[in-house]
Amino acid sequence: MQGFTLDERLQRDSALIATLGLSELRLMRDKRWPWLLLVPQRPGVSEVFDLAPLDQTMLTFEINEVARALKEATGAEKINIAAIGNMVRQLHVHVIARFEGDANWPGPVWGHGTAEPFNEDEMAALAHKITEAMARS
Amino acid sequence: MQGFTLDERLQRDSALIATLGLSELRLMRDKRWPWLLLVPQRPGVSEVFDLAPLDQTMLTFEINEVARALKEATGAEKINIAAIGNMVRQLHVHVIARFEGDANWPGPVWGHGTAEPFNEDEMAALAHKITEAMARS
């Protein structure tokens, strides 16, 4: 996408697992929770209402597809979805699988403790489960 | 809306300020942050992807309208938007105005400290500013 460059912190903290119509779908390098990011490939956007109307609708579609697939792939108790961006201003939407008894349940994941990295095999296996669930829907 | 009953905790923690096409727009009784809730008037829904497709689009429209108005009314540095629902399962979307140096900036608002109630005049004044900003857009 012309002019779009992924924020350095998002790049470092997550890995690309698919490119959707609007967004990069990325998996956070933190095995405490199955935690995805959707990053719309649009330059200079930090609030959802700064997106063009059609992009807003596409983002909603992508969030819902990804959230449903994440729930199906993981059997999560609840999916948490958020656009926060107090630290990284490039618009990115969190889609996170939560389980009773997980780290910080029922509190939020943001700002809690420090990331626990996956090994590459674990990360690839989770990414595969999620993209498979997306392909089925 | 047939069959829709607002969750008791949402009822207690927030006040109705407008009824939109899909959602109740409510203001949290916590003056630490200007904090709105959108509660789609649909029974038995806890995940955004459980809404009918047209309702998903309407909810996106309402979120974006409310978020833009909240930013305009408050001059917020960043708007935080989230559907979490680990504790209250009835679908509700948080739309929160954040400022550098506010309580827990840049961390999240959920689970931080305890609510500081408004007096009725402060609450009515903030609700009025927000609904006025919505009417202008």
Side-chain angles (χ1 to χ4, degrees):
Chain A
M1 179 60 54
Q2 184 95 35
F4 172 80
T5 312
L6 185 67
D7 173 88
E8 278 178 24
R9 179 158 170 182
L10 299 182
Q11 170 89 52
R12 192 177 63 234
D13 292 349
S14 65
L16 183 69
I17 67 172
T19 303
L20 309 181
L22 174 65
S23 306
E24 286 194 4
L25 176 61
R26 305 183 64 89
L27 178 59
M28 288 287 277
R29 301 180 187 282
D30 187 344
K31 68 178 176 186
R32 294 175 298 169
W33 308 280
W35 181 348
L36 298 168
L37 297 180
L38 283 165
V39 188
Q41 297 167 88
R42 295 287 183 265
V45 174
S46 76
E47 300 280 9
V48 284
F49 53 83
D50 293 335
L51 288 170
L54 182 58
D55 285 347
Q56 292 176 19
T57 300
M58 272 193 80
L59 179 58
T60 300
F61 178 81
E62 291 179 354
I63 289 168
N64 286 326
E65 282 292 293
V66 164
R68 182 187 288 110
L70 184 62
K71 179 154 188 173
E72 187 189 318
T74 64
E77 176 71 20
K78 188 69 188 66
I79 301 295
N80 293 174
I81 298 171
I84 300 179
N86 300 340
M87 287 185 275
V88 171
R89 290 301 165 90
Q90 181 171 77
L91 177 60
H92 58 287
V93 179
H94 304 266
V95 182
I96 308 159
R98 302 298 306 274
F99 301 84
E100 284 190 34
D102 72 17
N104 212 37
W105 176 266
V109 306
W110 308 281
H112 178 78
T114 51
E116 293 176 14
F118 289 101
N119 68 43
E120 290 299 313
D121 285 355
E122 289 171 326
M123 192 144 175
L126 178 56
H128 182 70
K129 261 172 71 175
I130 294 163
T131 52
E132 264 200 338
M134 289 178 67
R136 271 198 301 276
S137 71
Chain B
M1 179 60 53
Q2 184 95 37
F4 173 78
T5 311
L6 185 66
D7 174 87
E8 278 178 23
R9 178 159 171 182
L10 299 182
Q11 171 89 48
R12 192 176 64 232
D13 292 349
S14 65
L16 183 69
I17 66 173
T19 302
L20 310 181
L22 174 64
S23 307
E24 287 194 5
L25 176 60
R26 305 183 64 89
L27 178 59
M28 288 288 276
R29 301 180 188 282
D30 187 343
K31 68 178 177 187
R32 295 176 298 168
W33 307 280
W35 180 349
L36 298 168
L37 297 181
L38 283 165
V39 189
Q41 297 168 88
R42 295 287 182 265
V45 173
S46 75
E47 300 280 8
V48 284
F49 52 83
D50 293 334
L51 288 170
L54 182 57
D55 285 347
Q56 292 176 18
T57 300
M58 274 194 80
L59 180 58
T60 301
F61 178 80
E62 292 179 353
I63 291 168
N64 286 325
E65 283 292 294
V66 164
R68 182 188 288 110
L70 184 62
K71 179 154 188 173
E72 188 188 317
T74 63
E77 175 71 20
K78 187 70 188 66
I79 300 295
N80 292 174
I81 298 170
I84 300 179
N86 300 339
M87 286 185 276
V88 171
R89 289 303 164 88
Q90 182 172 75
L91 177 60
H92 58 287
V93 179
H94 304 267
V95 182
I96 308 158
R98 302 298 306 275
F99 301 84
E100 284 190 34
D102 71 18
N104 213 36
W105 176 268
V109 305
W110 307 281
H112 177 77
T114 51
E116 293 177 15
F118 289 102
N119 69 42
E120 290 300 313
D121 284 355
E122 289 171 326
M123 193 142 174
L126 178 57
H128 182 69
K129 262 172 70 177
I130 294 164
T131 51
E132 264 200 338
M134 288 179 66
R136 273 198 301 276
S137 72

